[in-house]
Amino acid sequence: MATDNKSKSGNSNKNNKKRKNYLPHNKPVKKGGYPLRPGVEGFFITCDGGREYQAAQEAINVIESFYEELLEGKESKVGQKSELPKKPMNKVIKFADSDSSGSDNDDDNADGNNDVQTKEDKSTDVIAAGGDENAGTGVEIKDDVSVDKQTDEKTEKLESNENQETETVEPPVKRQCIQEDARNGGNLPKMADGQSVDKLIEAELAELGDKSKRRFGKLDTGCNGVVFIQMRKKDGDPSPKDIVQHMMSSLASTKKHVSRFLLRVLPVEVSCYTSDEEITRAIKPVIDKYFPVEAQTPHKFAVLYDARANTGVDRTKVIDAVAKSVPSLHKVDLANPDINIVVQVVKTVCLIGVVEKYKELAKYNLRQLTSSDQ
C-alpha cells in the first residue's frame, strides 16, 4: 500500500509540473508600458498584420530622417535670405619667409653689393693710374666711409622691415585662437550657454537613453496592423502635418522606396475620448489654425472617418460634431476638398488630424505613392 501511494504521489507531481509548464494561466500577462491615451500628438500608421514591432522601428527611422531634412531645408532658406558681402573676404597675406618677399630682399641685397663693387672698382682704377687714394682732395676716403654707412643703414632697414612684416602680416585667425586659448586656460571650448562640448554630448546621450525624453516614441494601440508614433514637440519644431506633407511630396517626386512594412502615414494633432463633447472641445485649436473665421478665401473641406476595435460609436454623430465646429464661411466639398479632416477611432481614443492633397498623393499610402504605376 505504501508503495502504491508513493507511485501515485510521484505521478501527481509530474502532472503538476507539466501543467505549470504548458498552461499559461499562472503567468502574468505582459501589457504595453506606453498605451495609447488622449492628449498626445504624433503619427497614425497602418502596416502589415503581425509586423507592428518592425513597422514601429522603421517608422521612427523614416520620420526622423524627414524631420531632419525639413529642419535643414528651413535653415538653408534662412541662409539664402542673408545678403552677400560686397567686398571679397579673401585677402592676400604675405609672410616674411615667402618666396616673393625673399626675392625682393635678394634683389635689394644684390643692388647694395653692386654699389659696393662700383666704389671698389673706382679705387682700383685710381691706384692703377699711379695716384694715391689718400692724395688729392680725399674724396675716395669719404666715399669708402659713406659706403660702409650706407650698407649698415640698408641692413638695419631690411631687418626693421622684416620685423614689421612679421608683426603686421600675422593671420588674424591665429591671433583669435591664441587669445581664446589664453582665456580658457587651455581648456576645452565652451558654447554660448557656457557649457563645454563634453557636457553637451553627455546630456544628449542621457536624453537618448531615457525613453521618456525622446522626440519620437512608440505607443501601444492594442490593434492588429496599427502603429502610433508619439511626437514630443519642442519649441520651434515643425508639426506632424508639416513632416508628413514634406514626406509625401518628396516621395511623390523621387519615387524612392523608404519602407518595407509601412502602408499609410497620417498626422495626428489632437487626441481625445470618443464622446461628442470631448471631440468638439478638443478640435477647437485645430479649427482655429486651419479654418480661421476672418479668412479672405474660404476653404473646401471633407471629413474622413474610420474606426477600429469600437462598434459603439455612431459614425454620423462624430462626423456631424466635427463638421459643425468648422465656421460657416468654409463649405463642405466631398469631391474636390482643399483640406481633409482625418478622424481615426482606435478603441476608446479619437485621433484627429489635417491633411492636404489627400487623393493626389495616393491617400498617403507609401506603397502606392512610390510604385511605378503612379
Side-chain angles (χ1 to χ4, degrees):
M1 294 295 292
T3 56
D4 294 338
N5 292 329
K6 287 182 180 180
S7 62
K8 288 181 181 179
S9 62
N11 293 329
S12 62
N13 291 331
K14 290 181 181 179
N15 293 329
N16 291 331
K17 288 181 180 179
K18 288 181 180 179
R19 285 178 183 174
K20 288 181 180 179
N21 289 333
Y22 291 101
L23 294 178
H25 63 271
N26 289 328
K27 296 181 181 179
V29 178
K30 292 183 180 179
K31 295 182 180 180
Y34 301 95
L36 181 61
R37 61 191 181 275
V40 296
E41 61 178 339
F43 307 90
F44 178 84
I45 301 169
T46 60
C47 63
D48 296 329
R51 298 288 186 176
E52 289 82 10
Y53 178 78
Q54 294 87 341
Q57 300 300 321
E58 187 179 55
I60 291 173
N61 295 331
V62 172
I63 292 169
E64 281 183 349
S65 64
F66 283 101
Y67 168 79
E68 292 175 357
E69 285 183 6
L70 189 59
L71 286 183
E72 290 175 358
K74 285 185 178 180
E75 291 175 358
S76 63
K77 287 180 182 178
V78 172
Q80 289 176 1
K81 291 181 182 178
S82 61
E83 295 181 357
L84 294 174
K86 295 181 180 179
K87 295 182 180 180
M89 297 300 292
N90 52 349
K91 297 180 181 179
V92 178
I93 300 173
K94 293 183 180 180
F95 295 93
D97 297 334
S98 62
D99 295 332
S100 61
S101 62
S103 62
D104 295 336
N105 294 332
D106 293 338
D107 294 337
D108 295 336
N109 293 329
D111 294 336
N113 293 329
N114 291 330
D115 294 336
V116 174
Q117 289 177 359
T118 54
K119 300 295 181 180
E120 290 178 355
D121 293 337
K122 287 182 181 179
S123 62
T124 52
D125 292 338
V126 173
I127 295 169
D132 191 2
E133 289 182 356
N134 298 326
T137 59
V139 176
E140 288 80 1
I141 296 172
K142 291 180 180 179
D143 291 338
D144 293 336
V145 174
S146 63
V147 167
D148 294 334
K149 290 182 179 179
Q150 289 177 358
T151 53
D152 294 336
E153 290 177 355
K154 286 184 178 180
T155 53
E156 290 176 357
K157 287 181 180 180
L158 290 173
E159 290 177 356
S160 63
N161 290 331
E162 288 179 357
N163 293 328
Q164 290 178 358
E165 286 181 357
T166 53
E167 290 178 359
T168 57
V169 180
E170 185 179 357
V173 179
K174 187 176 180 180
R175 285 183 179 177
Q176 292 177 0
C177 295
I178 292 170
Q179 291 175 0
E180 290 179 358
D181 292 338
R183 290 175 184 174
N184 296 331
N187 296 329
L188 292 173
K190 294 184 178 181
M191 304 299 289
D193 298 337
Q195 296 180 356
S196 63
V197 178
D198 288 343
K199 290 183 179 179
L200 291 174
I201 293 173
E202 289 177 359
E204 188 173 356
L205 290 175
E207 184 177 353
L208 292 175
D210 190 0
K211 291 184 179 180
S212 62
K213 293 183 180 180
R214 293 180 183 177
R215 181 174 281 105
F216 302 105
K218 174 191 172 185
L219 296 182
D220 186 17
T221 60
C223 294
N224 188 20
V226 177
V227 174
F228 186 84
I229 303 299
Q230 181 185 5
M231 179 179 179
R232 295 177 178 88
K233 190 177 177 182
K234 300 179 182 179
D235 295 337
D237 288 346
S239 62
K241 175 190 174 294
D242 297 334
I243 297 173
V244 175
Q245 191 73 30
H246 172 66
M247 181 193 303
M248 297 301 163
S249 58
S250 61
L251 292 178
S253 59
T254 58
K255 300 292 182 181
K256 181 181 178 181
H257 295 278
V258 295
S259 65
R260 181 181 175 187
F261 306 104
L262 306 182
L263 294 177
R264 182 169 288 144
V265 181
L266 298 173
V268 175
E269 298 191 7
V270 172
S271 60
C272 61
Y273 288 108
T274 55
S275 63
D276 299 341
E277 295 80 8
E278 291 289 331
I279 291 173
T280 54
R281 182 183 59 81
I283 203 173
K284 280 184 179 179
V286 178
I287 298 300
D288 295 338
K289 183 178 180 181
Y290 297 103
F291 300 96
V293 179
E294 298 178 355
Q296 296 179 356
T297 57
H299 297 295
K300 297 180 290 184
F301 71 96
V303 180
L304 305 176
Y305 175 85
D306 195 5
R308 289 177 174 82
N310 191 331
T311 57
V313 179
D314 191 357
R315 180 175 180 272
T316 57
K317 287 184 179 180
V318 174
I319 294 175
D320 291 339
V322 173
K324 288 179 181 178
S325 61
V326 180
S328 59
L329 175 66
H330 309 282
K331 303 299 181 181
V332 177
D333 190 354
L334 301 179
N336 296 313
D338 299 330
I339 299 175
N340 289 275
I341 303 174
V342 181
V343 179
Q344 296 285 338
V345 176
V346 180
K347 289 188 175 181
T348 59
V349 181
C350 180
L351 309 173
I352 303 172
V354 175
V355 295
E356 296 178 1
K357 299 180 180 179
Y358 185 70
K359 294 181 180 179
E360 291 83 348
L361 294 174
K363 297 182 179 181
Y364 283 45
N365 192 316
L366 298 182
R367 289 186 183 175
Q368 294 181 4
L369 191 63
T370 56
S371 63
S372 59
D373 296 336
Q374 291 289 329

